[in-house]
Each structure stands twice: as structure tokens, then as C-alpha cells.
Amino acid sequence: MKRIADAFENAKSQGRGAFVAYLTIGYPSLAKCEAAIDTLVSEGADIIELGVPFSDPFADGAVIRSAAYEALKQGVTLADVLALAKRVRAKHPKTGLVLFSYYNLLFANGLDRFADAAADAGIDAVLAVDLPLEEREELLAVLRPRGISYVPLIAPNTPMERVKESAKGLDNTFLYVITVKGITGARKELPSDLASRLDAIRAAVELPIAAGFGISTKEQAEEVCRHADGYIIGSALVKRFGNAS
């Protein structure tokens, strides 16, 4: 199945950007995360990013760091996240599922073992925050045979040639374009040059692009989607569902 590609095509046919929603799985609890995913899908989320709690989430801001810490205190593991993904997949067969992790966790689990479990859980793509372009083939070699794709991260200072290389050889996925320098977290304003940056990336690759980091309001999402195919909200959702506990 091509759930991620279909999600972007469906959103485009409706004249909107695809909504990619991130949650730190296990915060405030596994059961409440599962309920939050059900809510997000009912509210129109096209793709869910399942954040695996990690002890040193260096790319994340205070909200997601705190959520990961709380999830780890409860003993939430990669296996727990994949078990939840399998339940979500059974309930939401058309929703795109991206496993969002740090590579060390996947590698330590054994790549073949991890890929088997991810395929069994219905994961569509994997995003490994700290895996460089030059080293990702090791992971892709176990994902591709199982029908799982990969989501590249594009930083604000990534050269355009590297952007194009990042998109090569991938399908049923999107480029995750980071909107701001620094860590995750809601921002009152997005960079003034973001629109031109998104336009340039969109013109350079065939994959859809989704912008994330800092987006927290409907107005910001709408502005981003004038120049991108989708938008990603993380910290604001982690805070919303955490506060609802």
C-alpha cells in the first residue's frame, strides 16, 4: 500500500495541505496516546508520527524532552510503540504511520528484527533523526524489502544538491523540511525566508514536502501550505494531550 503518497494526493485533491501529527508515545500514558491518535484521525490527521521516547532527544525542545522523560519513567520501549502502532493500524487502515526515532534505538534492537516488527505493525515509513544521508543505506536495505519507506530530514541550511540526493530512490514518503534553526517547539513567528526556501525545495524534488518545527496555529499551517504539500505539528499536540490528562 502507498498510504503516505495517497494521503498527500487526497489532501491535494481537497485543496489543502496534508496534516502530519506527532505524538511522543507513552506520554501521558500509552492508553491516552492511543486515544489521542483516535481523536487526531477523527479531526483530520492524514499521517501520524509515532515518537519513540529516547533518553537524549537532542533535536527536541522542552515539551517533547519532558514528554520523553515521563514516558521513559513509565518504562515505555520501542516494542511498546510498535505494539500500539499495530492496534492503531487495525483501527485506521488508511492512515499513514511514521515511526519517529533516533537511530541508536533501532540499531540496538537489531535492524532486521526491528524491520520485521515495524512491518508487522503496519508502519509505512521510518524517520531516524540522527542518521546522515551517507549512512542511511544500512537502514534502507532492511526497510525496502518489507515495503517500508524512509522520511529524510531537511535542515534550513541543507544545500539544494543534498536535498535532491536525499529524495533519490524513495517513494511513499515525503521530505520533512525543518522550518527553523534549533530545536522543536512552538514559535510565534516563522522565518521570513521560509516561503522562498519551501518553493525552491518543492521545485527541486518530486516527493511531497511537509514543513515542521515551530508550527502551532491554524494560520501558520495555512501559510506554510501555500508553499508546501503538508505541515507537521508536534510540540503543540504533545502539550494539548498531556494537559488533557
Side-chain angles (χ1 to χ4, degrees):
M1 296 182 70
K2 300 287 186 182
R3 279 180 285 251
I4 292 178
D6 289 347
F8 280 95
E9 282 298 321
N10 183 55
K12 183 179 179 180
S13 71
Q14 296 176 14
R16 62 178 180 85
F19 173 22
V20 183
Y22 168 94
L23 290 176
T24 301
I25 304 304
Y27 174 77
S29 70
L30 286 169
K32 289 179 179 178
C33 271
E34 189 169 340
I37 291 169
D38 293 340
T39 298
L40 286 166
V41 173
S42 72
E43 292 177 349
D46 301 285
I47 297 165
I48 304 293
E49 288 185 340
L50 306 166
V52 182
F54 183 57
S55 58
D56 183 26
F58 59 82
D60 293 307
V63 171
I64 294 177
R65 278 181 172 270
S66 177
Y69 175 71
E70 291 299 323
L72 289 172
K73 279 207 307 183
Q74 298 175 47
V76 175
T77 65
L78 173 61
D80 292 322
V81 177
L82 290 172
L84 179 143
K86 190 170 183 176
R87 297 193 297 273
V88 169
R89 170 57 65 228
K91 290 185 286 185
H92 307 292
K94 294 183 179 180
T95 301
L97 295 181
V98 174
L99 189 88
F100 189 112
S101 182
Y102 287 78
Y103 188 57
N104 182 54
L105 282 174
L106 311 183
F107 185 82
N109 195 68
L111 292 182
D112 280 294
R113 179 184 172 197
F114 159 69
D116 282 340
D120 182 61
I123 295 296
D124 296 297
V126 173
L127 191 162
V129 178
D130 51 348
L131 184 62
L133 170 62
E134 292 78 10
E135 298 176 23
R136 76 182 190 188
E137 193 56 41
E138 179 179 48
L139 179 58
L140 284 171
V142 299
L143 296 181
R144 284 193 183 110
R146 295 164 174 87
I148 302 173
S149 193
Y150 183 76
V151 179
L153 277 174
I154 305 299
N157 59 349
T158 300
M160 200 56 64
E161 283 306 310
R162 191 172 178 85
V163 171
K164 294 176 184 177
E165 285 297 317
S166 296
K168 280 185 179 178
L170 300 176
D171 61 4
N172 191 39
T173 188
F174 60 96
L175 295 189
Y176 186 132
V177 181
I178 298 172
T179 61
V180 295
K181 293 180 180 179
I183 56 178
T184 61
R187 307 294 204 279
K188 290 183 178 179
E189 294 183 358
L190 296 175
S192 59
D193 62 347
L194 177 61
S196 59
R197 170 74 169 164
L198 292 174
D199 287 340
I201 293 173
R202 204 179 193 183
V205 300
E206 293 184 3
L207 289 177
I209 69 170
F213 279 42
I215 299 171
S216 60
T217 68
K218 180 181 178 181
E219 291 73 23
Q220 288 175 330
E222 289 175 348
E223 176 58 30
V224 159
C225 287
R226 294 188 181 98
H227 308 278
D229 304 292
Y231 62 99
I232 303 154
I233 299 181
S235 295
L237 293 178
V238 172
K239 183 180 290 186
R240 169 190 167 186
F241 289 106
N243 289 342
S245 64

